[in-house]
Amino acid sequence: MPDDAPSHDIDQLIDDLIAREGGYSNHPADRGGPTRYGITEAVARAHGYTGPMALLPRDEAAAIYRRLYWLRPRYDQVARRSPKIAAELFDTGVNMGPGVATTFLQRALSALNRQAKDFPDLVPDGRVGPATLGALDKFLALRGPGGVTVLMRALEALQGERYLRLAEKRPANEAFLYGWLANRIGQAD
């Protein structure tokens, strides 16, 4: 693994995330409805939980985070290259969906490839596959530790812009904007 940050282990990332997300919530402006540990009722039900959301066990939430937001989007593969980038994708993916987080990575890498001189542009399809991993490998090899910092800034800029757009598009989201910007941007630092 590149030495770009302290190693982020998924158990610690999940613990930190659950601490930020808190316990049970049912905010009237939240389209996701009732949540516990940041897991929406729809996600919990889709993964077999049938009890009341207020009683969703922490270990069930952790298993959902690991399966849906770490392994399925292949952020474990990104972590082998850059634990810091993987941690950022994980956190963004939990809040916005892994497809959105991965699209941010693909867009940023394509914009940083010096007009395809370093590696081909990526199709922003929201999936971590061989092309995305290959581009990340080449980018990190060319840019080193400083490249991780720049890539993190690009990912966070895209994330922040999306939060602002969500609040502008749906005024009820303004209830969450301050918290999103305060608690979601820069969590992998």
Side-chain angles (χ1 to χ4, degrees):
M1 269 193 265
D3 189 23
D4 65 16
S7 180
H8 290 292
D9 122 350
I10 186 56
D11 294 324
Q12 187 62 55
L13 291 174
I14 291 170
D15 287 347
D16 293 348
L17 178 70
I18 286 175
R20 278 194 310 281
E21 290 289 347
Y24 179 75
S25 175
N26 192 8
H27 194 287
D30 189 346
R31 287 184 171 171
T35 65
R36 182 161 164 106
Y37 305 122
I39 301 292
T40 65
E41 186 170 27
V43 169
R45 300 286 182 248
H47 292 276
Y49 180 70
T50 58
M53 281 306 294
L55 301 178
L56 176 73
R58 187 187 186 290
D59 62 337
E60 181 85 14
I64 290 170
Y65 280 131
R66 178 184 308 280
R67 187 171 54 250
L68 285 188
Y69 300 97
W70 185 254
L71 296 173
R72 183 179 288 171
R74 301 187 68 205
Y75 295 153
D76 59 320
Q77 298 299 308
V78 174
R80 291 181 182 165
R81 292 147 171 89
S82 173
K84 194 171 185 178
I85 296 298
E88 177 67 23
L89 294 172
F90 171 73
D91 188 72
T92 302
V94 164
N95 193 245
M96 297 182 174
V100 171
T102 301
T103 298
F104 288 170
L105 175 66
Q106 293 165 328
R107 288 177 57 204
L109 285 169
S110 290
L112 291 166
N113 71 359
R114 299 180 321 129
Q115 297 179 331
K117 290 178 186 154
D118 296 335
F119 47 86
D121 283 339
L122 296 168
V123 174
D125 63 6
R127 293 188 307 251
V128 173
T132 300
L133 293 172
L136 181 59
D137 287 338
K138 288 179 183 169
F139 177 79
L140 294 173
L142 288 167
R143 298 297 186 170
V148 172
T149 300
V150 169
L151 188 52
M152 287 290 293
R153 288 179 182 159
L155 294 172
E156 290 172 355
L158 289 165
Q159 183 181 14
E161 191 280 331
R162 183 172 170 109
Y163 287 138
L164 290 171
R165 203 166 6 109
L166 288 170
E168 291 167 346
K169 187 174 171 183
R170 182 175 177 258
N173 284 337
E174 288 182 12
F176 308 113
L177 181 60
Y178 186 90
W180 287 337
L181 295 172
N183 301 313
R184 302 310 292 215
I185 305 285
Q187 289 306 309
D189 292 340

